[in-house]
Structures are given as C-alpha cells and as structure tokens.
Amino acid sequence: QVELVESGGGLVQAGGSLRLSCTASGSTSDYYAVGWFRQAPGKEREGVSCIMGTQDGRIQYSESVKGRFTISRDNAKKTVYLQMNSLRPDDTAIYYCATDPVAWCGVNWAELSFDYWGQGTQVTVSS
C-alpha cells in the first residue's frame, strides 16, 4: 500500500507562484512514476505533469502548463514537487498527485490508470 499526501496549495494572485509537494509513504519505490493531475469545478480531470523514477528521468507536461510549471523529485525525501510560476486564474483547481508501479510517463501518460492517489490540495488563483 502506498500513501500520498499533497501540500502547498493556497490562494495566490495571477502571476504568482506556488510549490506543491507530494510525499509518499508505505510500499513505494524510487522507480515509480508520479503524476500531477488537476480538476476544476465542472471540468474533467486533467493531467498536468509526470516524472519517471530513478535512472529514467523522463518528464511530460501538458501544453497548458509547459514553460510555467516544473516537476522534480527528491527520492531521499520520497517527495515530488510541482513548482508553478506565472499562475493564471484558469489554473484554479484541486491538484492531486498519483503513482503506480507500472505507469510510465509516455505521451499518453494521463490516460493511464494510477492506483494510488493523494487527497488533493486546493489551488486558487485570483485575477
């Protein structure tokens, strides 16, 4: 069993920055891919970014966040970060992290099934 806990959400003005953290515990592995997703009210869940585990390092970003968000991981802390810069009101959503032993960060990573999810953290960007 893997447990994920997100933190770092909050209220920020447009143009501001936030850094989200996703910390894992339990039977996790540095080799597991970790994805960040978000869901805004009335909208479908969207894959934001994905990072592969040790020795692969593959990273994917959705077009909507490319150039503004940066994903990284600290395996010693079992934590994946999502640095979000130049935030816009349409970035407002609940952000979730997810991981899975067999998921991988290919082009269609957001369509894969992730078994383990965090509880989510709210990000609100005011105009």
Side-chain angles (χ1 to χ4, degrees):
Q1 189 71 13
V2 177
E3 293 186 354
L4 301 175
V5 177
E6 302 98 335
S7 62
L11 173 64
V12 64
Q13 288 188 333
S17 298
L18 285 173
R19 188 178 78 159
L20 305 184
S21 299
C22 170
T23 301
S25 62
S27 303
T28 185
S29 168
D30 295 344
Y31 294 96
Y32 291 2
V34 176
W36 281 100
F37 295 80
R38 67 186 181 185
Q39 188 162 22
K43 293 187 177 181
E44 292 188 356
R45 187 178 66 199
E46 174 191 12
V48 175
S49 184
C50 182
I51 185 168
M52 284 298 292
T54 305
Q55 298 181 338
D56 185 310
R58 191 175 323 182
I59 289 174
Q60 299 282 354
Y61 296 101
S62 68
E63 287 300 319
S64 61
V65 307
K66 197 173 292 183
R68 299 187 299 122
F69 291 9
T70 302
I71 193 170
S72 61
R73 67 191 295 162
D74 183 336
N75 289 330
K77 296 182 178 180
K78 297 188 182 299
T79 298
V80 172
Y81 303 98
L82 186 67
Q83 177 67 43
M84 306 187 297
N85 298 329
S86 302
L87 283 162
R88 309 185 305 219
D90 61 358
D91 293 317
T92 296
I94 300 176
Y95 284 71
Y96 301 90
C97 64
T99 192
D100 189 273
V102 298
W104 64 291
C105 300
V107 174
N108 298 318
W109 70 272
E111 300 172 13
L112 299 177
S113 175
F114 284 75
D115 277 350
Y116 304 105
W117 292 80
Q119 82 289 349
T121 186
Q122 176 71 48
V123 171
T124 302
V125 184
S126 63
S127 57

